Amino acid sequence: MSTQQKQRSTSEVLDFLHEWDRSGDLARSRMLSTFLKQNSGKSCELEKEFAQVSSLFLARLSTWMRLTYMCGTFLGLQLKAIHVFLSASCSHQYLTEFLEDGCVLTLLDVLGQNGVKEEDKAEALRLLETISDAGYKYKEIICECHGVRAVVECLAKSHAEETQEMAQALLESLTHGNPKYQSQIYRGLITIMSCTSTKAQQLALRTLRIMQSKMKTVDHTIVEPLLNVLRSLRVEVQYEAINLILDLRRFELRPVLLSGLVALLKPNRDGAQRHQILEDPDVTKMMASLPVFVQQAAAAKALHLLAQSSEDIGQELLSLQVVHHLLCAMANRDHAESQTEASLALKYFVDTNPAVKEGVLKGMGSALFGVFMQNSDAVHKNIDEIQAEILLSNKVNISEGLDDKSRKNSHCKVISEQAN
């Protein structure tokens, strides 16, 4: 560029900045719209476009955003324009200037403002992700500003899927190459499992799976909320939760997780369940969709998959009286899915262990056992009130038939699997 061209370009930029300084919000919004049309997707051309004074415009833009973001009138436009600077290939200088102005705190505050539109929160999250992707020191700056808590709360409370997905993407970005704050992010994701948003639960579980695949240890506080989330009526939440349970089988908390799952097969509703079976069919119909029964079915499914994944786990489950509990779950005439999942899991144990087959035959009776062996996924259709009572009161104790080798403490096995 010749000297004359540089002078003309500088003059045009200074005129632009002068017009910006004397304009009101509406005029500035028009200027930003023009800027976005002309510069979206550009990299280092920004410096040429603004005659080496692009930082002056970014400073004005950042200041305007900080002063007006609570009103939210032009926030989305402001954030998109700032993203042009921070996503440029020569963005290091812009990032430094943006952070020095304290704008990370502003972006995080945007996430907690009730008056800000969801699409603007999504744009703020996209901008934070761009900052996070720039390197570990930028991730740490976001976390030092209590960013993990702000993003977790946004994910849990938002009702817009775009915002939730952007929050999840940012949390995932913050986990990469950021060991200092890894446990804080992990614990934050665990808390989301207890929120009321099923989309947030799904995304949190997915991110936990990604994190756990790179970790050598596990936070034991995950067990209770993970088991509780099995009550979700959403298939996608169940899918992520069960797969996370499968991922956790190689860690030292496996015994606690297995015993928790087995306990879910016999929810503490025995008295109420018997009363419904014998007396009130209308209440039976109402109870069919209770989350506790959905949780029971999910537990049976998870136990089936765990047993299939490892012979050692199968033996551990037998020592936890899983056969007795599965027979009880099959008696739940209020929830066909619980009966089906329990039956399929039980069939696996019957097919792989002669002692189990003998015990189940005694617990069921020969007539029902014959149907069970022929069609285990539909045997619930043949369970009447009397047979349900028999299953509920079964005294099957397969662990008495296990040899000493099968009774060994599973802790050594878990440690061995972790080492591999």
Side-chain angles (χ1 to χ4, degrees):
M1 184 181 292
S2 66
T3 302
Q4 187 176 4
Q5 288 175 320
K6 288 182 180 180
Q7 290 175 343
R8 184 167 62 252
S9 179
T10 300
S11 177
E12 290 174 354
V13 171
L14 291 176
D15 288 342
F16 175 86
L17 295 178
H18 180 65
E19 182 182 355
W20 176 273
D21 291 338
R22 67 181 184 181
S23 296
D25 289 349
L26 187 60
R28 287 180 177 181
S29 70
R30 288 195 291 265
M31 294 172 71
L32 276 189
S33 295
T34 302
F35 169 81
L36 286 170
K37 290 178 182 178
Q38 294 176 347
N39 295 281
S40 291
K42 289 187 177 180
S43 53
C44 288
E45 296 177 26
L46 280 172
E47 282 294 338
K48 297 178 182 178
E49 185 78 21
F50 281 84
Q52 308 302 312
V53 291
S54 53
S55 293
L56 295 177
F57 181 41
L58 176 60
R60 285 166 165 78
L61 185 51
S62 301
T63 300
W64 186 35
M65 179 193 70
R66 293 202 316 274
L67 292 174
T68 62
Y69 74 94
M70 287 191 178
C71 301
T73 309
F74 301 107
L75 180 58
L77 203 59
Q78 294 164 345
L79 293 170
K80 289 175 182 176
I82 292 171
H83 191 266
V84 171
F85 286 92
L86 302 192
S87 60
S89 58
C90 52
S91 63
H92 177 74
Q93 176 189 345
Y94 302 137
L95 278 168
T96 301
E97 294 167 355
F98 189 72
L99 297 180
E100 287 176 351
D101 284 344
C103 291
V104 165
L105 283 170
T106 302
L107 294 176
L108 293 172
D109 196 39
V110 164
L111 304 181
Q113 294 295 320
N114 293 329
V116 173
K117 293 182 289 187
E118 288 292 331
E119 54 263 38
D120 292 345
K121 290 183 180 181
E123 198 62 45
L125 288 163
R126 187 163 75 104
L127 202 51
L128 285 164
E129 185 186 2
T130 299
I131 296 171
S132 173
D133 289 342
Y136 81 92
K137 70 176 182 179
Y138 298 104
K139 299 177 195 292
E140 289 189 347
I141 289 172
I142 293 173
C143 294
E144 287 166 2
C145 295
H146 306 289
V148 174
R149 183 176 64 183
V151 179
V152 164
E153 289 180 356
C154 179
L155 174 54
K157 295 178 180 179
S158 175
H159 298 292
E161 288 197 3
E162 181 188 8
T163 305
Q164 291 176 310
E165 288 171 357
M166 288 304 306
Q168 184 270 338
L170 173 56
L171 287 170
E172 185 178 337
S173 172
L174 289 172
T175 66
H176 299 311
N178 188 18
K180 184 177 179 181
Y181 290 94
Q182 183 171 261
S183 62
Q184 185 183 124
I185 298 167
Y186 191 93
R187 290 193 300 271
L189 290 166
I190 290 176
T191 65
I192 295 177
M193 285 194 281
S194 302
C195 78
T196 57
S197 169
T198 54
K199 182 66 176 180
Q201 290 174 333
Q202 177 196 0
L203 294 172
L205 287 163
R206 182 185 302 166
T207 311
L208 281 167
R209 290 187 64 202
I210 294 170
M211 289 189 70
Q212 197 63 65
S213 67
K214 304 172 184 176
M215 297 170 65
K216 296 183 178 180
T217 59
V218 62
D219 192 324
H220 281 62
T221 60
I222 196 175
V223 175
E224 184 177 353
L226 180 55
L227 294 180
N228 286 336
V229 85
L230 292 176
R231 296 186 175 199
S232 175
L233 302 179
R234 297 292 293 269
V235 175
E236 56 270 29
V237 176
Q238 293 271 352
Y239 172 83
E240 297 291 351
I242 290 175
N243 277 286
L244 179 55
I245 287 171
L246 293 175
D247 294 341
L248 294 176
R249 71 186 184 275
R250 59 190 180 88
F251 292 92
E252 70 277 4
L253 56 60
R254 185 169 87 192
V256 179
L257 190 60
L258 295 181
S259 61
L261 286 167
V262 171
L264 293 179
L265 296 175
K266 282 180 67 175
N268 191 22
R269 304 182 61 87
D270 291 334
Q273 198 168 353
R274 267 192 207 98
H275 175 78
Q276 292 157 11
I277 290 172
L278 297 176
E279 296 183 21
D280 196 343
D282 292 329
V283 176
T284 300
K285 185 176 180 180
M286 179 186 71
M287 295 292 288
S289 61
L290 268 182
V292 69
F293 294 154
V294 173
Q295 184 184 37
Q296 182 187 47
K301 182 176 182 178
L303 288 166
H304 186 187
L305 294 171
L306 285 164
Q308 286 180 316
S309 71
S310 164
E311 183 179 348
D312 286 342
I313 293 178
Q315 292 295 328
E316 291 173 49
L317 290 173
L318 289 177
S319 71
L320 292 171
Q321 297 295 326
V322 70
V323 174
H324 164 77
H325 286 74
L326 287 170
L327 285 167
C328 291
M330 284 181 63
N332 186 1
R333 297 177 69 238
D334 295 336
H335 199 247
E337 186 178 357
S338 286
Q339 293 179 293
T340 300
E341 293 295 349
S343 177
L344 291 172
L346 190 60
K347 183 63 161 56
Y348 172 79
F349 285 104
V350 167
D351 289 342
T352 55
N353 192 307
V356 173
K357 184 175 183 179
E358 182 180 350
V360 172
L361 172 58
K362 292 178 180 179
M364 282 188 181
S366 58
L368 185 60
F369 183 78
V371 178
F372 166 75
M373 291 299 291
Q374 290 179 2
N375 198 359
S376 57
D377 59 349
V379 68
H380 64 277
K381 298 176 183 178
N382 296 85
I383 298 176
D384 58 23
E385 296 171 5
I386 295 175
Q387 288 167 325
E389 285 293 326
I390 293 172
L391 291 171
L392 275 173
S393 57
N394 86 87
K395 305 298 182 184
V396 175
N397 184 0
I398 299 299
S399 64
E400 292 180 352
L402 297 179
D403 57 26
D404 291 338
K405 182 180 179 181
S406 300
R407 290 172 175 274
K408 284 184 179 179
N409 193 309
S410 62
H411 182 70
C412 294
K413 297 174 185 175
V414 177
I415 297 299
S416 176
E417 287 180 15
Q418 281 184 260
N420 294 331

